[in-house]
Amino acid sequence: MILLIFTCSGCGNRHPEMKEALHVGVVTYTQGDPFINAMTDKLKENLKSMETEDMKIIVSVKNGKDDQQAQNETVEEMIDAGCDVLCINLVDRTVPSRIIKLAKQNHIPVIFFNREPVREDLLQWEELYYVGCDAEQSGIMEGEIAADYIKDHPEVDKNQDGKIQYVLLEGEAGHQDTISRTDYSVKTLIEEGVQLEKLSYQFADWNRGQAENRMTRLISQYEDGIELVISNNDEMALGAVEAYRKSEYVPSKWPVIFGIDGLDSALEAVKSGEMQGTVYNDKEEQALEMARLSLEIFRGENVYRNQLKEGRYYVSQYQRVDSSNVDDFLKH
Ligand code: GAL
Ligand code: CA
């Protein structure tokens, strides 16, 4: 009885020290992805900056350990611990059904990000959202920057056979960005009139170390015959740079190397000439949108939600980066 009175005396608006609290649970697919970690840090910063005198915002970030089952369990724990909104970066974007079911049962809206569930899944409940990009756009832009560079620099064709011998580094199999970036970067180069000769496609799971290993092997196989490296992201492009740094070849014998994301280290590489271009994946904007949506959902408001495509999709725009504008991005 005493306890009950004590507990109740702590609630209600008469006590200014008792703030309303928004709990946001964020679960990424892995621990070791620099792009995702940078975006999650921004998300935390944004949410913290949205705290007000009478509303506290509590953010917990966990990762799914590259295992969908483990991620499902983490989501369940977060729901049990009491969260208001979930931001989920799926391990396997094709199987969100367990998370959707749990969220729906407990009435916790979900903002999926970066790893896009298929449309039918996102339509399963009206409180499911997606914040990400149009993967096709990044592939087209990467192809355009590479084509422009090659047309302006005939020396890229090192053996002067009229064809560009190329290698493609792919992200995770089945990821929407891997599929579209691979497809559209190459298609765009061809449409732009660049004659290509494919040497090898290698999966390296978005990962710098794996890409370095693959590239080291390709260098020993093709020697200085590789003229272009197209990478599905910057981390793998930087893995290729690393492989060339450790190789016997001087930079004038290196291929041109293109990535996607616009991570700081890749922007530095574009500036120093070790990479020729990247495509900016606007993590700041995506993080801000997720923070705004989380708050709005909690407050039952609709300003940002009304601007979503089909009421659920936020599509951030990619931007082309090469040596001519890299300084604008380094200032970010
Ligand atoms: C992509 C990004 C990659 C990787 C991946 C993870 O959008 O370009 O670097 O972070 O998402 O899902
Ligand atoms: Ca050639």
Side-chain angles (χ1 to χ4, degrees), residues 156-165 195 197 225 227:
V156 172
D157 182 8
K158 287 186 285 189
N159 64 356
Q160 293 291 307
D161 67 348
K163 288 179 280 183
I164 302 297
Q165 281 70 29
Q195 297 286 318
E197 183 182 336
E227 297 175 337

Side-chain angles (χ1 to χ4, degrees), residues 16-17 36 61 125 166 200 211 260 296 315:
E17 73 276 12
I36 296 296
V61 181
W125 182 37
Y166 79 102
S200 182
I260 292 175
E296 240 193 33
V315 187

Side-chain angles (χ1 to χ4, degrees), residues 194-223:
V194 177
Q195 297 286 318
L196 290 177
E197 183 182 336
K198 169 176 169 175
L199 297 181
S200 182
Y201 281 32
Q202 297 283 327
F203 283 104
D205 293 345
W206 307 121
N207 182 276
R208 193 187 293 210
Q210 279 192 42
E212 184 186 334
N213 290 340
R214 304 277 184 282
M215 221 39 239
T216 302
R217 245 184 283 150
L218 292 171
I219 295 171
S220 56
Q221 185 177 351
Y222 296 104
E223 302 179 335

Side-chain angles (χ1 to χ4, degrees), residues 5 18 25 36 44 77 79-80 82 97 109 123 151-152 173 177 181 226 279 291 299 309 323:
I5 290 166
M18 284 306 287
I36 296 296
K44 276 198 281 191
E77 282 159 26
I79 292 177
D80 289 346
S97 32
L123 296 178
K151 288 185 210 163
D152 287 348
D177 291 341
R181 289 173 183 174
I226 303 168
V279 176
R299 290 184 165 155
K309 204 174 110 209
S323 63

Side-chain angles (χ1 to χ4, degrees), residues 13 65 94-95 118-119 125 170 183 243 251 267 282 295 328:
N13 294 331
K65 303 187 180 120
T94 64
V95 286
V118 297
R119 198 182 158 73
W125 182 37
E170 300 198 78
D183 206 17
L267 296 174
D282 201 336
L295 197 63
D328 302 344

